[in-house]
Amino acid sequence: AGYNSSYSLLFHMGNQSSSKTNNMASFEPCRTKMEKEGIAASAISAFESTFNSLVSGNTGIIPESTITPVPELVHTDSISTAPDAELLSETVVLKLNGGLGTGMGLDKAKSLLEVKNGDTFLDLTAKQVMCMRKDFGQNVKFMLMNSFSTSDDTLAFFQSKYPSLAAEEGLEMLQNKVPKLDATTFVPATCESDPSNEWCPPGHGDLYAALIGSGRLDALLAGGYKYMFVSNSDNLGATLDLKILTHFATTDASFMMECCERTENDKKGGHLAVRNSDSHLILRESAMCADEDEAAFQDITKHRFFNTNNLWIRLDKLKEIVDKFGGFIPLPMILNSKTVDPKDDKSQKVIQLETAMGAAIECFEGASAVVVPRTRFAPVKKCNDLLLLRSDAYVITDDFRPVLNPACGGKAPVVALDSKKYKMVGQLEEATQDGIPSLVDCKRLTIKGVVRMGRSTRFVGDVSITNKSDESKYISGKIEDATLDVSEEIGLGALKPTVVATAPIAGQKPGTSGLRRKTKEFMSENYLNNFVQSVLDAVVAGGTSLSEGTLLVGGDGRYFNDKAIQTIIKMGVANGVKRFWIGENGLLSTPAVSAMIRERGPVWQKAFGAFILTASHNPGGPEEDFGIKYNTENGGPAPEYLMQATYANTTSIKNYKICSDFPEIDITTPGCTSVAADDGSSSVVVEVVPSTQSHVALLKSIFDFGAIKSLLDREDFTMIYDSMHGVNGPFSKAIFVDELGQPESVLMNHIPKDDFNGGHADPNLTYAKELVALMGLDKKGNKIDVSGSVPSFGAAADGDGDRNMILGSQFFVTPSDSLAVLVANANCIPFFSTQGGLKAVARSMPTSGAVDLVAKDLNLDFFETPTGWKFFGNLMDSKCIFKGKDYTPFICGEESFGTGSDHVREKDGIWAVLAWLNVLAAHNPDSSKALVTVEDIVRKHWATYGRNYYCRWDFEGMDAAGANAMMNKMRESTEANTGRTVGSYTIATADDFKYVDPVDGSVAQKQGIRFLMSDGSRIIFRLSGTAGSGATVRMYIEQYETEKLDLAVADALKELTTIALSLCDIKTFCGTETPSVIT
C-alpha cells in the first residue's frame, strides 16, 4: 500500500488514560498461575506485554483525531499476475476455530452450528479443503487453531465425519488461555464453583504466540513452508485463492490483509486506517473506539475498508519479528469488561485482555492490504448474519463456498432483527422452526418483537414488522414493501408457550441411569420442569431439531407417572415438538422404548429421542422413588456429553417454557389427538400407541416362537413369570398368552401398580421371594423342602422391565452364568445363527469372568467395560455411528441381572427370558425324551468351562460420607496392597478400574476398586448413588474352580468374604457388616 508500517517500541494506544490505572499491580501472580497451568513462555510474555499496557493506564482507545482514512487500495479483481501453482507446496491454510459463540447463546464450538442444508461450518470447511486439494492436485497443508473450549468437540467431529483429515499430522494447534483479572486489583480472578471460568481466550492475536509456543512455526519453516493463509472458521468465503497467493508472493509483502468495502451491515466492525504520527497502517476495532467517535467510526464513506480477518503471513518474516522482540509479538490491547461467571451477572467483575491478529499489520515491515470481493467474506457474528446465510439470499458453490445469490443483484439484503429478542441462536431457531423465509428478493428486513416465519414466508423489497405483544405472531405468504404491526393478530391459542421464571435446584446431576430422587422431591415446585427444560436445551444444543420427528414418552407406571407425562407433553410443545408418541396408560418398558425408537415408523415420524419415567428396580409410591432419563435417536441412554450439558443447564437455568393451555391428553386409549394453533400456523399431534406392539414384533423376529411354543406345550414343562407388578406385566401377557397361547396362570403379579403393590420390584433372591419360594429356594439360593411340584422354569422382571432373574426347578442361575450360557448357546437363536453367529461379547467389570472363557473358546472379540449400558451401546454402534469395526451380532450383560443384545440399546429382561426358552427348546427337540432342564444346561456348561463361584453383597442406605471415605481409603492404599499376602491369597494387583473406550476414545475413571488375586480370584467394591436416598456399597467376590463344581457358594467363598470385609473395613466406616441383599 506504500505506507510506512514498521513497528515502533511504543504501544500506540492513543492519548487517553485509563480510569483503571493501577501502577502498583504486579504481573507475578499471573505468571505464577500461567506457569502452574503449563502455559507456553511465548504466551506468558505476550500476556505480560498486554498486562503492562493495562496497568500503565492505556485503554486501547484510538481517537478519531489521531488517524486518517486509508486511500484507495489494490483490488484483487485488477490483479493480472498469472497464478503460480508451485507456490502451493510452500503454503499452509489455517482456520481459527477457538470461538464458542457465547454472544449468540452457544456453549460449544461455534463452527458446529448448522449453516445450510444440514452442513455446519466445519462440514463446509472440510469439504472446501478436500475440494481445494482435488482442484489444485496438491495435498495443501491444513491446520486448525482450536481453543481449550473447542478442541474436544472439534476433534470428535473430524474423527467421526472426516477421519482422513483427523489423522493428518499437525491438524490441531491449541490456542493459549490467559487469566481473567479482577476489575479493581488486576490480580487473577477466582471462581470456586467452576475454576474453568477463571480463564479466557486471549483473542485471535494469540495466533502468533501459539505458533511460537507450540513449536509449529519452527516446524513449518523446517518443512519448507513460507506462506500462511489465515481466516476465521465462521467465514466460509475465505478459501485459498491462488491468484491472491501469487500476488502476495510476487509483491514480496511480509504481511497482507484482505479488506472489503464497508456497507451498512459492517458499520459496527473494525476498519483499516493510517496513523497520523507515523503513517503506519493500523487496525481500529470497535473496542478501540471512544464513545464520542462512534459516528465517525461507523461512517462507511469515510472509513471505507474493514479487515475481513483473512490474512497472508510470510512465516520467515514472522520468525524475524519474534526473534527481535524476545519470543513474542507485542500487540495493541483490547479490554473487555465481564463477570467471572458468564452466566452469573452478580459474580466477580473482571477484565478480559485480548489482542487481534490483524493488528499485527503494524508490526511487519512492508505490510500491505488488498480489497477483495464480498464473496470472500461471509461470517456469522449475529443472528442477522445467520438468518441471511441460511436463507436463499446465499447459495453454496461447487467448491462449497457460500456466495450471494446472483438474483440479489450483487447487494445483500440488510437484515435488522430485534437485538433483544433474537440475540441467541435458540431464539432465531424457535422463530424459524417451520423453515427459513425467502430473502432473495428482499432489500431490507426489520423485525421488532417476536415473530415466527416459515418456508412459505417470502419477504420482497423493504419490509418492516412490529409486534408489541408478548406472544409470537406468525408471518406467512408474500410480504412486499410493507410496514406491518401484527400486535393484535390472532396468536397460537393452546400452543402459546409461557416462559416461567425459575432458579437452579441443587442435586439435579443425572447418573448413568438418569435422575432418581424421592417422588415428593420430583413433585415439588419446578423440580421436574427444570430438569426437562435442561434436557431439551441440551438436546437442541447437540444438534437435534425438536420440530422434526417424534418425542416418545412412557414409563414403568410408578406413582406420579401420569402427571409427569402431561407436564412433559406441555413443555415439549412449548419447545417446538410437533409429534408425540405416548405409551398406552403411560406404560413403556425401558427396552420397549429403545425398540420403538429404532423400529417404529414411518421414517418421517421416527423418534429423535425419549423420556423414560422410571427409577428401575427402586421402590415406587408417594413416599418412595421416582426417576427420569433421556434416550437418544439410537435407542440408547444419553451419552456423557449430553448428561454433562444437561447438568450444566440445571445449574444455570433461569426459566422454562410450557404451554399451560394445552389440553390434558387421555393416555388410557390408543389414538391420535391433534391440537392446532388459532392462527393456523402449526399443529401438534399426540398419539397414544399400544405399549407392547413394537417390542413384541421385534422379539418375534429374533426368536423361534414355534419352537418355544412346542417347549411350553410339553406335559413335563411348566413355567412361571413374575412381573413384580411392574411395567413388564402387559408385555408378558402379550407374549406368553396372546402369542404363545399359554394360560394366564403362567404369569404372576402381572398387573402394574403405581407402588408395585408395596413391594420392591428388583428381580433377585431377596425381593422376588414369592417366586423364589415357588421355585423351591431360599433367599440364598439354597434348596428348601417343598410339598408340591416345582415349575421347570421361573423368571422375574424388575419395575421397568430391563432386568431378569432366571431360575430352574430348585436351581438359581447367577446373572454371570446366565450370560455365559447364552453366549455359548447363541446359535440356538435365529437372530444370531442367521447372521453367521456372534462376533463379540462384553460384560461389566464387576460381572464374573465366566463369559471370558466362552469368548476365548469361540474366538470372539471380548470387552470388559464399566457398569452402564452406554458402554455396550458404543460397541454395538462402532460401525454404524463411529465408522469403526463391526462387533454385531453382539451379546452383553451385567451381574446386576441385566442381559441383552444389539437388537436394542438397553438391557432387555423379556429378551433374556425368551433367549433361555429358545435355548431350552433347542436342547429339547423331541418331546418323547426326558426334559433337559435349566440345571442340566448350566452343569454341562460348568463341566466344559469350569465354575466361577460368585456373589454380590449390597449394603443399601449407607451414609454417603462414610461410604465415600471407605472407597477413598482403599483407593489411596492400592499401591500398598499390591503384592500383599492376605490369608491364603496374594493380591497380584490392587487398582481403581479405568476404561479407555475402544470406539470413541473416551476415558472412564474411578469405576471400582479391584483386588485381583494371583490365582484369578477377585474382590471388587463399587459405590452406587442411584437410589433415592443414601448410598449403596456393592461388594463382589469371585473364585474360579475347574474341579470342585458342587460346593455351596457361601462355602466356596468363605475365606475371600472374610478377606473382603477386612480390606474395606466397612464396619468402621458404615457401622455394619450385614448386607441388605446377597445375590
Side-chain angles (χ1 to χ4, degrees), residues 569-626:
I569 292 173
K570 293 180 179 185
M571 291 189 66
V573 173
N575 281 275
V577 178
K578 300 296 186 186
R579 177 176 289 275
F580 297 83
W581 289 332
I582 311 297
E584 184 180 357
N585 292 308
L587 299 177
L588 283 173
S589 72
T590 294
V593 167
S594 186
M596 196 172 290
I597 291 174
R598 296 175 64 81
E599 301 291 331
R600 186 177 175 86
V603 171
W604 65 273
Q605 292 183 7
K606 188 170 176 59
F608 60 76
F611 280 107
I612 310 176
L613 305 175
T614 177
S616 189
H617 55 287
N618 290 13
E623 303 299 326
E624 298 295 348
D625 297 341
F626 190 81

Side-chain angles (χ1 to χ4, degrees), residues 822-1034:
L822 291 180
V823 169
N825 291 273
N827 278 339
C828 297
I829 300 169
F831 181 80
F832 302 109
S833 61
T834 58
Q835 295 186 74
L838 275 176
K839 289 183 182 176
V841 297
R843 64 164 173 84
S844 64
M845 181 272 289
T847 304
S848 93
V851 74
D852 310 28
L853 303 168
V854 182
K856 182 178 181 181
D857 181 49
L858 300 181
N859 195 30
L860 304 174
D861 284 321
F862 167 76
F863 301 92
E864 179 184 33
T865 76
T867 297
W869 216 257
K870 65 180 180 179
F871 299 104
F872 297 148
N874 261 15
L875 292 165
M876 296 178 198
D877 290 330
S878 174
K879 181 181 180 181
C880 64
I881 293 181
F882 298 97
K883 315 303 180 189
K885 184 176 180 179
D886 186 4
Y887 295 118
T888 61
F890 181 92
I891 288 180
C892 51
E894 298 177 335
E895 47 70 37
S896 53
F897 297 91
T899 326
S901 79
D902 59 289
H903 69 294
V904 291
R905 294 300 181 267
E906 291 278 6
K907 48 184 174 279
D908 190 344
I910 208 163
W911 174 92
V913 173
L914 289 169
W916 263 96
L917 290 173
N918 214 152
V919 170
L920 281 165
H923 282 267
N924 289 281
D926 187 348
S927 60
S928 66
K929 294 183 178 180
L931 181 70
V932 177
T933 67
V934 170
E935 183 174 355
D936 293 336
I937 292 173
V938 174
R939 289 193 177 280
K940 182 179 179 181
H941 182 90
W942 290 343
T944 303
Y945 293 104
R947 182 176 180 181
N948 293 73
Y949 286 98
Y950 180 89
C951 74
R952 183 182 98 186
W953 286 23
D954 287 2
F955 299 85
E956 298 175 343
M958 297 294 101
D959 174 68
N964 275 298
M966 181 189 77
M967 295 294 290
N968 287 334
K969 181 67 167 60
M970 287 190 287
R971 187 173 287 118
E972 293 165 1
S973 303
T974 53
E975 186 175 346
N977 279 322
T978 298
R980 178 182 166 196
T981 299
V982 284
S984 59
Y985 296 87
T986 298
I987 302 174
T989 302
D991 66 8
D992 194 350
F993 182 57
K994 173 183 175 181
Y995 179 70
V996 179
D997 196 303
V999 176
D1000 65 10
S1002 61
V1003 179
Q1005 302 190 67
K1006 295 186 176 181
Q1007 295 299 306
I1009 307 298
R1010 302 189 302 176
F1011 297 93
L1012 309 179
M1013 307 302 176
S1014 57
D1015 69 343
S1017 301
R1018 300 190 306 162
I1019 297 172
I1020 295 165
F1021 293 91
R1022 288 183 60 250
L1023 191 60
S1024 172
T1026 59
S1029 60
T1032 298
V1033 175
R1034 294 201 166 107

Side-chain angles (χ1 to χ4, degrees), residues 544-565:
T544 296
S545 171
L546 301 184
S547 63
E548 299 175 7
T550 303
L551 178 63
L552 177 61
V553 187
D556 59 18
R558 66 182 58 230
Y559 190 85
F560 188 55
N561 188 68
D562 51 351
K563 292 182 175 59
I565 287 174

Side-chain angles (χ1 to χ4, degrees), residues 629-818:
K629 61 180 287 193
Y630 185 81
N631 279 32
T632 57
E633 61 185 349
N634 75 331
E640 186 67 25
Y641 81 85
L642 192 58
M643 292 194 297
Q644 290 178 351
T646 295
Y647 177 58
N649 290 341
T650 68
T651 64
S652 60
I653 188 169
K654 294 181 179 178
N655 53 62
Y656 62 82
K657 289 180 283 188
I658 189 167
C659 288
S660 302
D661 295 332
F662 195 84
E664 296 278 312
I665 301 298
D666 178 5
I667 62 175
T668 64
T669 306
C672 287
T673 299
S674 182
V675 181
D678 288 354
D679 61 12
S681 62
S682 64
S683 62
V684 172
V685 175
V686 183
E687 183 178 1
V688 178
V689 298
S691 299
T692 64
Q693 189 177 68
S694 295
H695 194 207
V696 171
L698 177 60
L699 294 171
K700 286 177 66 178
S701 73
I702 292 171
F703 299 106
D704 186 343
F705 267 46
I708 294 173
K709 178 171 172 49
S710 296
L711 172 71
L712 298 178
D713 289 343
R714 285 178 60 139
E715 291 288 337
D716 57 352
F717 188 90
T718 54
M719 71 162 282
I720 190 77
Y721 190 11
D722 185 359
S723 293
M724 302 187 76
H725 291 294
V727 73
N728 223 44
F731 292 85
S732 62
K733 183 176 183 296
I735 289 173
F736 290 103
V737 178
D738 300 341
E739 294 291 341
L740 293 172
Q742 300 305 299
E744 202 162 331
S745 58
V746 303
L747 308 179
M748 174 188 291
N749 301 322
H750 65 290
I751 306 301
K753 300 287 184 69
D754 65 4
D755 65 348
F756 307 121
N757 205 39
H760 190 157
D762 193 354
N764 57 47
L765 294 169
T766 298
Y767 293 122
K769 54 188 175 184
E770 189 179 356
L771 171 68
V772 171
L774 279 175
M775 297 304 295
L777 297 170
D778 64 15
K779 67 177 183 179
K780 293 184 178 181
N782 300 316
K783 293 182 180 181
I784 60 173
D785 293 332
V786 294
S787 56
S789 61
V790 176
S792 312
F793 181 83
D798 68 335
D800 68 327
D802 64 350
R803 300 186 184 212
N804 72 94
M805 178 172 64
I806 303 298
L807 302 167
S809 180
Q810 294 195 291
F811 188 83
F812 168 61
V813 184
T814 69
S816 297
D817 279 343
S818 178

